[in-house]
Amino acid sequence: MKENDKLTVYDRSLDHPKATAGLAEWAPHPAGGEGRRPAGLSLKLKSVFNRACGVPVEVDLSPYRRIVDGIHAFGKEMGLGGLSDDDLKRRSLSLTQRVKAGSPPEKATVEAFALVDEAARRALGLVPHDVQLIAGLAMCGRKIAELPTGEGKTLAAVFPAGLFAMTGRGVHILTFNDYLARRDAAWMGPVYRLLGLSVGVIQEGMSKAAKREAYARDITYATAKEAGFDFLRDGLAYNTAEAVHKRFHMALVDEADSILIDEARIPLVIAGIAVKLDRGTERLAALVRELVPDRDYQTDAAKQSVFLTDAGLEKTERLLGSGNLYAPENEALLAAVHCALHAEALLKRDVDYIVRGGRIEIVDEFTGRVMDKRHWPDGLQAAVEAKEDVSRKSEGRVLASITLQYFFRLYPRLCGMTATAKPSASEFKEFYGLSVVPIPPHRPCIRTDQPDVVFGRKESKLRALVGEIAALHALGRPVLVGTLSVKESEELAAVLGASGVSSEVLNAKNDESEAKIIAQAGRPGAVTISTNMAGRGTDIKLGGDNEEERDKVVSLGGLYVIGTNRHESLRIDRQLRGRAGRQGDPGTSRFFISLEDEIFERHGLRGKFLERHRLGDQDCAVDSPAVRRDIIHAQRVIEGRNFDIRKSLEKYSSMIERQRQVVGEWRASVLSSEDGSGRLAIKDPDLYAGGVARFGRREYDALEKMVTLFHTDRCWADHLAELTDIREGIHLVSVGGREPVHEFQKAATEAFAGLEERIDNAVAGTIRSLISRPGPFDLDAEGLKGPSSTWTYLVSEDQLGWGMGLLKGSNIGFTAVSAAVYGPLFVLALVVKKLFGRKKRAG
């Protein structure tokens, strides 16, 4: 572990025993009522300790408890329970008018929460618990509420949403998928309507008019990605009436750790149809299949990069008949070869992606879900499609892009909720300025978390796993198994079936039915196999739909959750454990681990564990606390590495985001202007006068606006393509001892410097051409408008697998060999051309 020990160990400050101690002091009453007041002084001291140590975790809940007491007292004093529905709505509308008139929402918190509390009782028959009120208060304070699974986060969100919707400026509740957005809007809708507030829901494929109406409502439920796509589409609108969003006010993010952390590095991309594909990708896919692993190509220890050996390079050049692949004229071919090799060697079907409906669909490594409308960068996407013989008609041209991280920063108010926030508290604070408020459950968690069962070999783990599941199934106890990939879930189901145990498989191939399947995972004798956190957000009821069978499942110990792998993030492990033991139910969780699992193979840890703990290839489990501690430590090191990668990616995207904001302001000023762009009259008065004389003032102003918007979008798209070219090869500068991030920012600044002039020149050229032509014209026919389709690109630190990690020094031996053998040619062919010989683009 020595090499990995040098990496960041993720959130070690949160492991301090005093960091989150004291939460247990909020013990529930024996009768199951709300929690008593915690020891105020000790918690205040712990809060001071956390602040002094820079730990962004708030442990003293006594201020929230005092407000909750005030909410209950207000409801009784005002007699809200005795009001008619109409009187309750009138009271809410009166408060809304006061808030809209300028009264700060924070001053209305007690009354608004009391109204929501009463409305939930009437509309849903639900009595909100104090912990839900506390979660709502934390989110009102722009924080992340960590509320355990099964504690009713959906209802907790209604409190802050209802309060800030009273401002009339709108609240977005952003969820993980369309199903959850649709379900929660329908479920909580009666509460909002009883208070005189309107609620809307955004779904993929809705018309612009329907979306505009939904966003105009007081509260709008949507997926984070679709809201981001709509923002980008608005940025490409040719008139203000086409926009669907109104001014951003507040966003409340459900499953905040998954969306704000795991998804945040993924850029949302608006792409337009560009050119027909060169079918040479099919030839390259066939060629790399002839290469032999270890002899013709090798991968790095983490299996994130792949590179040709001397023998592989010679063989590839011979099969292609290309001559020196590293020659400058073969740069594009070299890139295509590496994409094909990356697709063949590193991306596995039913693990990294599935093939469904004649399309490649990427599987999320954290959740096991298909990532809707997501692509890899075009070269890699085309290589995977060629590998799987999936037809593709065209490449995409990026028109606009923003990462989810920067999209969320557009909201003046941002908050969220999840069951697993503490492990990412430092990251929430660093990227969003949000603190975490852990909230104890309404009823104490009595789930038993068993120690991991560790094996040296996969075969041994599988036998033990099948035996454990079969024994539990025979008893009638429900079992939920969380697997790492689609392939693993199907293989396990097949083995179980052969042993006489039937199971329901929930993976990325049938994600549309995940809520229905996962809801029945608590039935007696049910065996449900899912990929990671499929079904997250759906409650698992013991006994399923049949309440009469609940007692039977409880008597057997509740739901038994089994994890078949440890994950790169401890949060994912905790999320899986959290499917059992909800709302005080009994339950058990346990992980079955093999040192041949993906996490150990990918990060080169298996050999180190075998050597360090003197483990052989025995079939029996390794019962060693030291091994289990080392596994947890390895996960933290990997989390640290991933955190560092996200920080590195943020440094690259920050420059692009600043430039996007500048261009967005240019574009918005043109879109809102009444007299064209106003720039041509200053830069070329004669051309402006000629345009007015040719078309008339009103028609010319409209024409100049449209042309300016078109060329702003086109030049920005060209600029994004240029930045992509630079980004793909920028790590090579580290061979010369330079810092890649600094060099990228320098190159991006130089590229951006002439953008405004290129836009002006392009506008002038088009106007001059149109003036010189007699008769009417059609902007569509002139190619000055065009439809676009949307998808998201998957980005990683080394997305094309060109072995950049080797050149960055993560493996010193390989770095020396790579630099000595390929360095001069690689640098000559790519660095010079990428950084100093950029493609000339039409102005």
Side-chain angles (χ1 to χ4, degrees):
M1 296 287 292
K2 290 183 180 179
E3 180 183 343
N4 286 332
D5 286 342
K6 297 176 183 177
L7 299 169
T8 303
V9 177
Y10 190 62
D11 283 333
R12 287 305 294 262
S13 58
L14 300 181
D15 290 337
H16 195 287
K18 294 185 178 180
T20 53
L23 292 178
E25 296 178 34
W26 192 299
H29 291 305
E34 299 297 337
R36 64 174 173 81
R37 293 182 186 276
L41 180 59
S42 64
L43 287 181
K44 290 183 187 302
L45 291 174
K46 292 181 178 74
S47 295
V48 171
F49 174 86
N50 278 3
R51 285 196 296 271
C53 295
V55 179
V57 176
E58 189 174 333
V59 296
D60 183 8
L61 301 182
S62 55
Y64 297 108
R65 179 64 191 199
R66 285 193 291 272
I67 299 174
V68 169
D69 289 345
I71 292 167
H72 293 318
F74 181 89
K76 291 179 181 178
E77 184 180 340
M78 295 294 106
L80 297 183
L83 297 179
S84 67
D85 287 356
D86 288 340
D87 287 339
L88 187 69
K89 181 179 290 187
R90 277 193 287 271
R91 174 125 202 166
S92 175
L93 291 174
S94 174
L95 177 60
T96 298
Q97 290 302 318
R98 297 201 304 272
V99 173
K100 285 183 178 179
S103 176
E106 291 78 6
K107 289 189 176 182
T109 299
V110 170
E111 183 174 355
F113 272 50
L115 289 168
V116 173
D117 183 285
E118 180 60 31
R121 295 169 189 260
R122 297 187 187 194
L124 305 178
L126 297 176
V127 179
H129 303 306
D130 283 4
V131 294
Q132 292 171 306
L133 295 174
I134 293 169
L137 291 170
M139 287 187 279
C140 284
R142 307 184 193 188
K143 295 170 184 175
I144 302 294
E146 184 185 80
L147 196 60
T149 53
E151 292 297 317
K153 289 187 284 294
T154 305
L155 178 57
V158 177
F159 289 92
L163 170 61
F164 285 96
M166 291 178 176
T167 63
R169 285 174 281 179
V171 173
H172 293 172
I173 299 181
L174 303 177
T175 66
F176 200 92
N177 58 36
D178 273 353
Y179 164 75
L180 292 175
R182 186 171 63 251
R183 182 201 71 178
D184 293 353
W187 187 10
M188 297 295 121
V191 180
Y192 296 121
R193 287 189 283 273
L194 187 54
L195 297 173
L197 299 170
S198 58
V199 60
V201 60
I202 298 295
Q203 298 282 279
E204 181 189 346
M206 287 175 60
S207 67
K208 281 190 174 182
K211 284 187 172 182
R212 194 176 299 113
E213 181 182 354
Y215 282 122
R217 302 291 178 89
D218 296 313
I219 298 100
T220 305
Y221 286 82
T223 66
K225 287 181 286 190
E226 196 64 23
F229 283 140
D230 288 335
F231 167 75
L232 290 179
R233 293 186 192 104
D234 286 353
L236 295 171
Y238 275 59
N239 64 70
T240 54
E242 293 179 15
V244 298
H245 273 296
K246 60 182 180 182
R247 194 178 187 89
F248 287 166
H249 175 224
M250 177 186 181
L252 190 159
V253 183
D254 193 8
E255 306 292 2
D257 59 324
S258 186
I259 295 175
L260 291 178
I261 302 300
D262 300 334
E263 293 282 307
R265 66 188 175 93
I266 306 298
L268 302 173
V269 173
I270 295 291
I273 299 302
V275 296
K276 294 290 182 181
L277 274 176
D278 176 7
R279 302 314 298 173
T281 52
E282 296 173 352
R283 178 190 177 199
L284 293 177
L287 183 150
V288 297
R289 277 195 287 269
E290 297 184 30
L291 301 179
V292 180
D294 295 326
R295 188 185 71 190
D296 295 329
Y297 65 84
Q298 293 181 346
T299 59
D300 68 334
K303 295 190 181 298
Q304 293 177 326
S305 299
V306 60
F307 57 95
L308 292 168
T309 62
D310 288 341
L313 178 61
E314 182 179 338
K315 182 176 181 179
T316 302
E317 290 173 343
R318 185 178 69 254
L319 292 173
L320 288 174
S322 62
N324 183 5
L325 260 182
Y326 288 95
E329 63 270 17
N330 284 331
E331 177 191 350
L333 180 59
L334 174 64
V337 168
H338 276 283
C339 284
L341 189 56
H342 185 111
E344 178 66 26
L346 300 181
L347 297 178
K348 305 300 182 185
R349 183 169 178 166
D350 290 338
V351 176
D352 300 295
Y353 63 90
I354 64 173
V355 179
R356 180 169 62 180
R359 294 189 305 161
I360 298 294
E361 298 189 341
I362 299 172
V363 177
D364 190 310
E365 63 181 306
F366 292 105
T367 67
R369 290 181 172 126
V370 164
M371 299 188 287
D372 185 46
K373 296 196 300 185
R374 184 169 297 172
H375 286 203
W376 286 289
D378 277 318
L380 187 56
Q381 182 77 21
V384 177
E385 289 167 341
K387 170 187 174 182
E388 298 294 346
D389 195 24
V390 173
S391 62
R392 192 181 186 204
K393 296 179 180 178
S394 61
E395 292 278 8
R397 172 180 169 81
V398 177
L399 304 179
S401 175
I402 188 172
T403 62
L404 278 171
Q405 182 182 120
Y406 283 106
F407 172 68
F408 290 127
R409 292 183 185 181
L410 297 174
Y411 289 90
R413 287 183 174 273
L414 178 66
C415 62
M417 55 186 185
T418 181
T420 48
K422 284 202 301 289
S424 297
S426 298
E427 200 160 350
F428 281 125
K429 191 67 175 179
E430 178 162 344
F431 290 140
Y432 302 101
L434 302 175
S435 298
V436 171
V437 181
I439 300 165
H442 169 58
R443 294 187 178 92
C445 178
I446 58 174
R447 182 186 69 238
T448 301
D449 294 331
Q450 299 282 6
D452 295 351
V453 184
V454 183
F455 297 88
R457 298 165 59 236
K458 274 189 177 181
E459 293 84 353
S460 303
K461 180 185 81 170
L462 182 60
R463 283 195 296 271
L465 191 59
V466 170
E468 181 88 346
I469 295 171
L472 293 165
H473 178 68
L475 292 173
R477 187 172 182 182
V479 181
L480 174 66
V481 185
T483 62
L484 191 65
S485 68
V486 175
K487 181 179 180 181
E488 185 186 8
S489 68
E490 294 179 340
E491 289 177 347
L492 178 58
V495 174
L496 284 172
S499 65
V501 178
S502 61
S503 62
E504 282 275 10
V505 179
L506 174 60
N507 59 34
K509 290 186 176 179
N510 58 353
D511 53 342
E512 290 185 4
S513 59
E514 69 175 38
K516 182 179 179 180
I517 295 174
I518 206 72
Q520 298 302 311
R523 291 180 294 107
V527 176
T528 308
I529 304 173
S530 74
T531 46
N532 275 342
M533 288 312 298
R536 187 176 179 185
T538 304
D539 197 21
I540 300 177
K541 295 181 179 179
L542 298 187
D545 291 335
N546 190 341
E547 286 292 330
E548 295 179 359
E549 294 187 322
R550 172 182 166 79
D551 291 342
K552 177 181 178 181
V553 175
V554 170
S555 67
L556 292 170
L559 182 67
Y560 198 117
V561 171
I562 296 176
T564 64
N565 295 265
R566 281 287 189 169
H567 302 96
E568 289 196 355
S569 171
L570 281 162
R571 281 188 293 103
I572 306 300
D573 293 342
R574 289 173 180 149
Q575 288 162 7
L576 183 57
R577 289 190 191 278
R579 304 316 302 259
R582 299 160 75 91
Q583 295 188 359
D585 286 340
T588 305
S589 72
R590 167 166 271 182
F591 282 84
F592 283 69
I593 301 170
S594 158
L595 296 182
E596 292 179 340
D597 288 344
E598 177 71 17
I599 187 173
F600 301 102
E601 294 288 348
R602 176 180 294 179
H603 296 278
L605 298 175
R606 182 174 185 270
K608 296 177 182 179
F609 270 84
L610 292 174
E611 180 181 354
R612 180 168 180 172
H613 296 284
R614 298 183 176 87
L615 302 176
D617 288 333
Q618 66 268 27
D619 286 340
C620 59
V622 179
D623 187 11
S624 169
V627 172
R628 288 191 282 266
R629 282 196 302 270
D630 266 8
I631 290 172
I632 297 296
H633 177 72
Q635 285 181 283
R636 292 195 181 279
V637 170
I638 294 167
E639 284 184 328
R641 172 184 289 168
N642 291 335
F643 183 28
D644 290 341
I645 287 174
R646 287 192 287 268
K647 287 197 295 184
S648 175
L649 289 172
E650 198 275 337
K651 292 176 183 177
Y652 287 99
S653 60
S654 63
M655 172 62 72
I656 300 174
E657 173 60 17
R658 287 194 292 272
Q659 294 178 353
R660 185 202 64 79
Q661 291 174 1
V662 171
V663 173
E665 290 172 4
W666 293 349
R667 199 183 191 284
S669 67
V670 174
L671 191 63
S672 61
S673 68
E674 298 294 332
D675 55 351
S677 69
R679 291 150 66 102
L680 198 57
I682 299 172
K683 288 186 169 291
D684 195 336
D686 293 338
L687 182 58
Y688 174 77
V692 172
R694 165 75 170 82
F695 302 109
R697 177 63 182 271
R698 176 173 292 184
E699 186 175 348
Y700 172 77
D701 284 346
L703 172 63
E704 185 185 327
K705 177 187 286 191
M706 295 294 287
V707 171
T708 302
L709 291 173
F710 171 78
H711 283 299
T712 298
D713 294 341
R714 186 179 66 82
C715 290
W716 174 244
D718 288 343
H719 179 69
L720 288 176
E722 186 170 6
L723 294 185
T724 299
D725 287 346
I726 296 170
R727 175 70 177 89
E728 286 174 5
I730 199 65
H731 283 307
L732 293 167
V733 302
S734 61
V735 173
R738 288 180 288 167
E739 173 56 45
V741 171
H742 175 74
E743 293 299 321
F744 173 79
Q745 292 177 341
K746 179 181 175 182
T749 301
E750 292 173 358
F752 188 74
L755 182 62
E756 186 173 5
E757 183 178 354
R758 291 197 294 275
I759 294 172
D760 289 340
N761 291 340
V763 171
T766 298
I767 295 293
R768 188 174 291 109
S769 173
L770 294 175
I771 288 174
S772 66
R773 256 182 274 167
F777 61 87
D778 185 339
L779 289 178
D780 287 328
E782 295 291 335
L784 297 175
K785 281 187 178 181
S788 66
S789 59
T790 61
W791 59 78
T792 55
Y793 278 0
L794 179 66
V795 175
S796 66
E797 180 69 356
D798 184 18
Q799 57 184 279
L800 295 182
W802 285 12
M804 299 306 169
L806 307 180
L807 293 173
K808 286 187 288 181
S810 62
N811 186 312
I812 302 301
F814 278 129
T815 301
V817 173
S818 300
V821 176
Y822 299 125
L825 289 175
F826 219 35
V827 173
L828 176 63
L830 293 177
V831 176
V832 174
K833 191 163 185 175
K834 290 279 187 186
L835 300 183
F836 304 109
R838 303 185 194 109
K839 301 172 185 176
K840 293 183 179 179
R841 305 186 185 277

